[in-house]
Amino acid sequence: MAGQSRKWMILVATIWIQAFTGTNFDFSAYSSELKSVLGISQVQLNYLAVASDLGKVFGWSSGLALMYFPIWTVLFAAAFMGFVGYGVQWLVITNFISLPYIMVFLCCLLAGLSICWFNTVCFVLCISNFPANRSLALSLTVSFNGVSAALYTLAYNAINPTSPELYLLLNALIPLVISFTAIIPILRQPPFEPLPPDGVRRDSLMFLLLNILAALNGVYLLLFESKSSDLTSARLLFGGAILLLVLPLCIPGLVIARSWYHRTIHTSFRLEGSGFILVDPDELELHKGMLAHEASRESYQLLDDDVVSNPVKTIPVEEEGDADESSCCKKLVTRGQLELLGIEHSLWQLLSRADFWFYYIAYFCGGTIGLVYSNNLGQIAQSLGQSSNTTTLVTLYSSFSFFGRLLSATPDYIRAKVYFARTGWLAIALLPTPIALFLLASSGTASALQVGTALMGLSSGFIFAAAVSITSELFGPNSVGVNHNILITNIPIGSLIYGFLAALVYDSHGSTGTKTMTDSVVCMGRGCYYLTFVWWGCLSVLGLGSSLVLFIRTRRAYQRFEQARISSNIDS
């Protein structure tokens, strides 16, 4: 029983780590001050944001480090990288030291790399301590990464709400302090003990309660962050947020609610197995076998012996016939179409599959735009005369990103009653992005800015959290580590391209703004980002269209997988 309690302590530790290491999301809160101190253009400021995202390109180094060093050393390596990366930037922005632009760029790169190392540590801890419910553990901890900016804003308001450079100091110190706090349960990590079926169900209850508590945390941050009108109330609110993060420590004591939960809630929610990654290896094998058996009986035969022996094989395009069958739309939907979920894809198979590129475009033109929007939020607010509301907007984006991440697990909780392909949920999640961007292009009011920011956060948060599941389902759960890292290469690419274009438009309208003492242009007016919002909106429509094509192409594979799963449950 002590081992079971220690694993929940580790989960709480990973929640704390994730909650305070999403430091890239508060970049917009201090970016204007950094731009002014360095005397750089908007294009150069964009390169600093790109540098942070470039850390994802080198994220594989954390996995390599774990092969040779214990997990606690990797944790502290991440903490010290962030301490140096953000600490040096704080010294620069406060004029303690003066560094050339390239050195500040490298500090941003180091800080971004630290985030990837923190994420890897949390993922490994979740997988090793919750093998039966690893997906639920991952979805929960990933969600808290989206609330970091809101927590840092509360800490900022509680200490000195007139000093934007304080964000950099907090980014450097808090993850280091959290690492020292989390090291105790990590060092006392229990040995692996297989759980009986009753234990798996009990853990599922705990995860449901933790998700409810996480939702309350998000509501608290969203509703009360703007109420911190003075230092006393700000400190009380920050203390309340910390209390909500400490409450999960009580979760082992909730085991006594197991019998009540089984009688009331468990019959309404299907929580067995994974709630985050839909594909289970055993279910996939059964799914393949049932499909092979059904193929001999179905009149619209989709699978044959050759497909079963070579499951990566795709549905071929029919020979030329009538005009309808050879239409471009039909080829778009059927060429290289997936037949089965969860088939492992090598690197070459992944890159040669059309579904991957539809998925890549959907992510590139959806979630990545949301991330670049958050990086530019400080300048967007400044250009619209809303500089005083920048921290509120950062918290708004962070909170709704958090809710979007939590909502990404909802399809699995309700799949016993309402089943819909996860690629379809991806298309739905992309819909708020063009709505938000065209709203921002059509109106420069404070309310439009707040609504647009909330929609962008909600959409991008869902996409970020759901992407791991989609990658594992479409291209194989065992290859998800490599394949997903290939997918998210679109983030630094998009950060560079989208941010560079936005910066060019911003600087081109510099004549409508003013210059600071350091000669950095401050653009004022709707024109600073109008064309950017229009272009981003058009690209997000392209991403939405790509996600719809992906859904149409994969819908049949999802339906057949769900039918096989239901049939296996009936037979058992």
Side-chain angles (χ1 to χ4, degrees):
M1 197 64 182
Q4 292 297 309
S5 298
R6 289 204 298 268
K7 79 174 186 180
W8 289 107
M9 288 288 293
I10 290 176
L11 181 69
V12 175
T14 61
I15 288 175
W16 291 348
I17 293 172
Q18 286 287 290
F20 288 102
T21 57
T23 48
N24 57 325
F25 289 109
D26 62 19
F27 176 79
S28 56
Y30 60 84
S31 58
S32 296
E33 185 74 12
L34 185 63
K35 175 184 175 183
S36 177
V37 170
L38 294 176
I40 57 178
S41 67
Q42 187 66 20
V43 173
Q44 291 173 305
L45 181 66
N46 172 68
Y47 289 150
L48 296 182
V50 172
S52 180
D53 294 329
L54 277 175
K56 296 178 175 63
V57 176
F58 303 101
W60 54 268
S61 59
S62 58
L64 186 63
L66 283 171
M67 295 174 61
Y68 299 99
F69 300 100
I71 195 166
W72 66 268
T73 59
V74 178
L75 174 66
F76 278 105
F80 279 106
M81 282 191 290
F83 179 76
V84 173
Y86 286 115
V88 172
Q89 291 181 70
W90 177 76
L91 293 174
V92 171
I93 202 173
T94 54
N95 293 313
F96 276 105
I97 61 174
S98 178
L99 290 177
Y101 174 81
I102 186 62
M103 295 302 297
V104 179
F105 180 92
L106 292 176
C107 286
C108 291
L109 181 64
L110 186 64
L113 182 61
S114 73
I115 298 173
C116 292
W117 280 50
F118 276 124
N119 290 340
T120 301
V121 168
C122 292
F123 295 162
V124 170
L125 287 172
C126 289
I127 292 171
S128 60
N129 287 279
F130 295 92
N133 286 297
R134 62 181 181 274
S135 301
L136 286 171
L138 286 169
S139 65
L140 181 68
T141 54
V142 168
S143 297
F144 274 91
N145 190 252
V147 83
S148 294
L151 288 171
Y152 277 99
T153 298
L154 280 179
Y156 164 80
N157 290 331
I159 300 173
N160 185 3
T162 61
S163 178
E165 61 269 15
L166 180 61
Y167 276 97
L168 284 167
L169 183 61
L170 294 174
N171 288 351
L173 293 178
I174 292 182
L176 184 61
V177 173
I178 293 296
S179 297
F180 277 105
T181 305
I183 195 62
I184 298 174
I186 291 175
L187 289 176
R188 301 183 68 234
Q189 186 172 352
F192 171 68
E193 297 179 2
L195 284 177
D198 182 63
V200 175
R201 289 192 295 269
R202 183 177 63 247
D203 283 3
S204 297
L205 164 64
M206 298 300 113
F207 280 112
L208 178 61
L209 295 177
L210 282 171
N211 274 278
I212 294 173
L213 187 59
L216 292 176
N217 204 324
V219 171
Y220 176 87
L221 292 171
L222 180 63
L223 294 182
F224 295 108
E225 183 276 336
S226 60
K227 306 297 182 183
S228 53
S229 56
D230 56 78
L231 280 177
T232 302
S233 60
R235 288 167 182 171
L236 289 174
L237 290 173
F238 181 62
I242 298 299
L243 178 62
L244 286 174
L245 288 174
V246 173
L247 279 180
L249 288 173
C250 303
I251 214 67
L254 296 177
V255 176
I256 58 175
R258 177 182 53 176
S259 58
W260 168 82
Y261 164 75
H262 188 74
R263 292 194 307 269
T264 58
I265 299 180
H266 193 270
T267 55
S268 300
F269 290 87
R270 189 173 188 85
L271 294 173
E272 295 88 349
S274 172
F276 185 60
I277 298 180
L278 177 63
V279 175
D280 181 85
D282 294 334
E283 288 184 351
L284 282 173
E285 292 303 319
L286 178 61
H287 171 52
K288 297 171 193 175
M290 293 189 68
L291 287 179
H293 177 69
E294 290 172 0
S296 62
R297 298 185 290 108
E298 292 181 353
S299 57
Y300 56 93
Q301 184 173 1
L302 294 176
L303 295 175
D304 54 25
D305 294 336
D306 181 50
V307 171
V308 174
S309 61
N310 183 21
V312 180
K313 183 179 177 180
T314 55
I315 298 176
V317 179
E318 297 181 5
E319 297 295 331
E320 291 186 1
D322 54 59
D324 291 336
E325 292 181 348
S326 61
S327 65
C328 294
C329 291
K330 186 175 181 64
K331 290 182 179 179
L332 183 67
V333 171
T334 58
R335 185 184 297 275
Q337 189 175 4
L338 274 174
E339 297 172 348
L340 301 177
L341 293 182
I343 300 299
E344 300 298 333
H345 284 64
S346 65
L347 176 61
W348 173 249
Q349 290 171 332
L350 181 76
L351 297 179
S352 60
R353 181 167 289 281
D355 296 293
F356 170 76
W357 292 109
F358 284 121
Y359 183 27
Y360 195 95
I361 293 172
Y363 199 119
F364 181 77
C365 297
T368 300
I369 290 180
L371 180 61
V372 177
Y373 174 84
S374 71
N375 290 338
N376 284 268
L377 194 52
Q379 283 67 50
I380 292 172
Q382 185 182 53
S383 67
L384 296 176
Q386 300 291 325
S387 295
S388 59
N389 295 325
T390 298
T391 56
T392 300
L393 292 169
V394 170
T395 299
L396 191 66
Y397 179 90
S398 175
S399 298
F400 274 86
S401 175
F402 176 67
F403 289 131
R405 292 166 190 253
L406 284 180
L407 286 173
S408 67
T410 303
D412 295 296
Y413 284 114
I414 66 173
R415 81 178 193 180
K417 295 183 178 180
V418 178
Y419 183 78
F420 194 52
R422 201 183 300 273
T423 49
W425 288 108
L426 174 68
I428 295 173
L430 278 165
L431 186 60
T433 298
I435 294 175
L437 290 168
F438 289 129
L439 173 64
L440 291 166
S442 62
S443 176
T445 62
S447 58
L449 182 59
Q450 291 172 355
V451 172
T453 299
L455 289 174
M456 292 293 288
L458 186 70
S459 177
S460 59
F462 189 105
I463 295 168
F464 294 151
V468 179
S469 300
I470 296 174
T471 304
S472 67
E473 291 165 5
L474 297 183
F475 310 116
N478 295 333
S479 307
V480 67
V482 175
N483 293 343
H484 192 67
N485 278 325
I486 295 172
L487 172 71
I488 63 175
T489 57
N490 78 84
I491 293 179
I493 296 173
S495 181
L496 175 62
I497 295 175
Y498 296 145
F500 180 74
L501 293 177
L504 286 179
V505 174
Y506 183 96
D507 286 341
S508 69
H509 287 78
S511 59
T512 65
T514 59
K515 288 191 175 182
T516 65
M517 296 179 61
T518 54
D519 292 331
S520 62
V521 175
V522 177
C523 183
M524 300 297 295
R526 285 183 57 196
C528 300
Y529 280 93
Y530 172 77
L531 286 177
T532 299
F533 291 147
V534 171
W535 278 109
W536 285 357
C538 293
L539 288 169
S540 66
V541 171
L542 173 63
L544 178 61
S546 182
S547 68
L548 288 173
V549 174
L550 179 66
F551 165 61
I552 294 172
R553 289 173 57 88
T554 58
R555 178 178 54 182
R556 179 173 293 177
Y558 274 98
Q559 288 175 343
R560 293 172 71 82
F561 172 79
E562 181 66 7
Q563 290 170 0
R565 187 188 63 81
I566 294 173
S567 299
S568 66
N569 290 336
I570 294 176
D571 294 339
S572 60

